[in-house]
Amino acid sequence: MNYTTQMDAARKGTITKEMEVVAKKENVDVEELRSLIAEGKIVIPANKNHTSLDAEAIGQGLRTKINVNLGISKDCPNIEAELEKVQTAIDMKAEAIMDLSSFGKTEEFRNRLINMSPAMIGTVPMYDAVGFYDKELSDISAKEFLKVVEKHAIDGVDFMTIHAGINRETAEVFKRNKRLTNIVSRGGSLLYAWMELNNKENPFFEYYDEVLDICAEYDVTLSLGDACRPGSINDATDASQIKELMVLGELTKRAWEKNVQVMIEGPGHMALNEIQANMLLEKKLCHGAPFYVLGPIVTDIAPGYDHITSAIGGAIAAANGADFLCYVTPAEHLRLPNLDDMKEGIIASKIAAHAADLATNVKGAKEWDYKMSKARQSLDWNTMFDLAIDSEKARRYRAESTPEHEDTCTMCGKMCSMRNMNKVMEGKNINILREDV
């Protein structure tokens, strides 16, 4: 192998096996794909040690991908339950899984996850640091944080969220510009606390070159975290968020100088009318790097339904330039999601992603909808079920309410528009009140 990362290979004119896999999946020209990877507008998160990976790419002109958050916590440390979620997420064809474990046997869970997953794996090393060293946050040294990053890289993590943008300068902007919900990013809040408690610079910013060296060695894609993402509609597009985004743009260029792949993490909570402008800002300030958004959640009032508020925002975001959607479940803001919550979050996020792909004319997106519409027109129920984004639910709903006539459903019966138009177009009588003869 005469290259260090996918970006390095692309810049040298080399087509990697991962590029070939992605080009086939996306139905795009592999040379065009290589060129966009070289420019940093597409990333292929593919750690050299993740041997079970089935490569996917994120970025310009490609299908919108989704990420599923999983992981053990102090209150819910059951590894087997989380691994059941992992298998379900894989079966539901999620392109990425982030391990957000923060307590207990995090290394065991991470290694089992990486070994079994064809989906790309992400982590937030900051979450793992306290348990890794069994130290209070303030007692962990800057270099010890970097050791956790290195451990995750060795284990095979494909992309890591690193909150390097909340440096001392960003923190001062935050202090001068009061927020309703302060810093809601878990990793961002921990780093801010560490900086305040130790009166020191963010270690991921101070030693950013060392982070880049680790990423380059294992080809870890750097997911530059949004510590100052808005946690409420009130805080969206404020000084803290934009200041951090400007820093992330500078860090992106530094990463590219070392052939490290980069994507940028984004908002957060945000009203509908601000989403388009935020997508434009990210692409401008971060030089076209792929954009990874949490939602955006478009209203603060719907706990228990935030998979819906997120899907609304995600569809608008992806239709206006976002490349990667982090799913949100109905349990957001309330508890660790269970298996059913995860399924609902995945489906909502996949709907948002596909809706955006239709709007941006991603290759092949409209073909799926065309096939579904054709099956509906033909009253071909089994094909409809096979094409449905959630086949099991579609079949169950049909089975729960059986119509008198197989070519109808219990909503319209023989007044079904599809049935009657088919008959009329064939020159037949529709026979609503009597049996066909």
Side-chain angles (χ1 to χ4, degrees):
M1 184 184 295
N2 64 345
Y3 58 87
T4 55
T5 68
Q6 295 289 325
M7 175 174 267
D8 182 39
R11 288 174 167 176
K12 289 176 176 176
T14 300
I15 302 294
T16 67
K17 66 179 187 297
E18 289 83 8
M19 292 179 201
E20 291 174 346
V21 168
V22 167
K24 186 175 181 180
K25 286 183 178 181
E26 300 279 351
N27 191 28
V28 298
D29 178 73
V30 71
E31 185 58 34
E32 182 181 343
L33 177 70
R34 182 203 61 77
S35 177
L36 289 168
I37 293 169
E39 293 177 38
K41 293 178 180 177
I42 289 177
V43 298
I44 300 180
N47 187 308
K48 296 169 185 176
N49 291 341
H50 187 181
T51 56
S52 61
L53 179 69
D54 185 4
E56 296 279 0
I58 299 163
Q60 182 176 306
L62 306 180
R63 287 181 297 106
T64 306
K65 307 306 188 298
I66 72 159
N67 172 70
V68 171
N69 289 338
L70 297 163
I72 55 175
S73 67
K74 187 170 185 178
D75 291 310
C76 301
N78 189 329
I79 288 179
E80 299 307 321
E82 288 305 294
L83 288 174
E84 182 184 2
K85 292 185 201 173
V86 169
Q87 188 58 58
T88 300
I90 292 169
D91 293 343
M92 294 178 74
K93 302 189 184 325
E95 291 91 0
I97 296 172
M98 285 201 79
D99 173 16
L100 304 188
S101 295
S102 58
F103 180 81
K105 297 179 180 180
T106 57
E107 184 177 357
E108 177 188 343
F109 177 74
R110 182 170 61 254
N111 286 329
R112 290 176 67 180
L113 167 63
I114 292 168
N115 288 335
M116 71 185 285
S117 178
M120 50 187 155
I121 301 301
T123 59
V124 187
M126 187 70 194
Y127 295 175
D128 196 25
V130 173
F132 187 85
Y133 291 110
D134 193 24
K135 288 183 178 182
E136 284 300 328
L137 177 68
S138 60
D139 296 331
I140 301 172
S141 71
K143 294 291 186 174
E144 284 175 327
F145 283 122
L146 300 190
K147 285 290 185 184
V148 180
V149 172
E150 185 176 34
K151 180 67 173 71
H152 284 213
I154 292 169
D155 288 346
V157 172
D158 301 298
F159 66 98
M160 294 187 207
T161 295
I162 302 292
H163 296 92
I166 184 164
N167 56 12
R168 295 293 291 268
E169 190 177 340
T170 304
E172 289 304 314
V173 171
F174 164 72
K175 290 176 186 177
R176 294 196 303 269
N177 296 271
K178 298 301 181 185
R179 288 178 137 191
L180 178 63
T181 48
N182 294 314
I183 295 174
V184 299
S185 159
R186 192 196 323 179
S189 65
L190 290 171
L191 270 171
Y192 179 82
W194 186 92
M195 291 161 63
E196 291 293 295
L197 291 169
N198 290 287
N199 193 30
K200 290 182 178 179
E201 180 58 275
N202 177 346
F204 297 119
F205 181 81
E206 184 174 3
Y207 299 102
Y208 186 62
D209 284 332
E210 293 183 33
V211 172
L212 295 178
D213 290 340
I214 294 168
C215 291
E217 182 176 355
Y218 298 93
D219 198 2
V220 175
T221 297
L222 197 57
S223 189
L224 288 172
D226 52 338
C228 294
R229 70 172 181 265
S232 60
I233 299 298
N234 184 82
D235 295 343
T237 324
D238 70 349
S240 299
Q241 179 194 336
I242 302 306
K243 170 59 181 175
E244 182 181 36
L245 189 61
M246 293 169 67
V247 176
L248 298 185
E250 295 171 355
L251 295 176
T252 297
K253 283 189 169 181
R254 287 175 59 186
W256 287 347
E257 288 170 2
K258 292 197 172 188
N259 291 316
V260 172
Q261 301 185 97
V262 174
M263 54 187 173
I264 307 297
E265 298 186 13
H269 292 232
M270 183 166 289
L272 288 172
N273 61 306
E274 295 184 48
I275 295 174
Q276 183 179 18
N278 270 262
M279 301 306 107
L280 178 63
L281 274 173
E282 184 279 339
K283 291 291 182 176
K284 288 281 189 181
L285 294 175
C286 297
H287 323 293
F291 200 18
Y292 174 25
V293 295
L294 178 66
I297 290 173
V298 296
T299 176
D300 301 337
I301 65 164
Y305 297 91
D306 277 327
H307 58 311
I308 297 173
T309 63
S310 171
I312 293 168
I316 295 170
N320 286 281
D323 307 286
F324 192 22
L325 303 181
C326 187
Y327 91 151
V328 173
T329 77
E332 184 79 6
H333 303 111
L334 301 172
R335 59 167 169 78
L336 188 77
N338 63 26
L339 185 61
D340 288 337
D341 296 328
M342 186 197 73
K343 289 179 180 179
E344 288 195 53
I346 290 173
I347 294 298
S349 191
K350 285 173 77 74
I351 291 169
H354 181 68
D357 290 348
L358 289 173
T360 55
N361 290 311
V362 168
K363 286 186 178 180
K366 289 183 179 178
E367 183 181 349
W368 187 3
D369 292 72
Y370 181 88
K371 289 178 178 177
M372 176 63 86
S373 295
K374 181 63 177 173
R376 284 191 176 133
Q377 183 272 326
S378 304
L379 295 170
D380 182 350
W381 296 98
N382 285 326
T383 299
M384 284 187 254
F385 298 149
D386 290 342
L387 289 167
I389 201 164
D390 185 352
S391 179
E392 183 277 330
K393 187 173 186 178
R395 291 180 188 276
R396 173 165 54 85
Y397 272 37
R398 173 78 172 166
E400 285 174 352
S401 188
T402 306
E404 179 182 0
H405 299 277
E406 184 61 28
D407 63 348
T408 68
C409 77
T410 55
M411 177 72 177
C412 300
K414 291 179 74 175
M415 289 186 182
C416 170
S417 61
M418 292 295 185
R419 170 191 181 274
N420 292 334
M421 285 303 299
N422 288 345
K423 287 182 175 291
V424 168
M425 297 292 282
E426 294 169 6
K428 296 178 181 178
N429 195 325
I430 61 175
N431 295 334
I432 294 175
L433 298 178
R434 62 187 183 278
E435 294 300 319
D436 293 334
V437 293

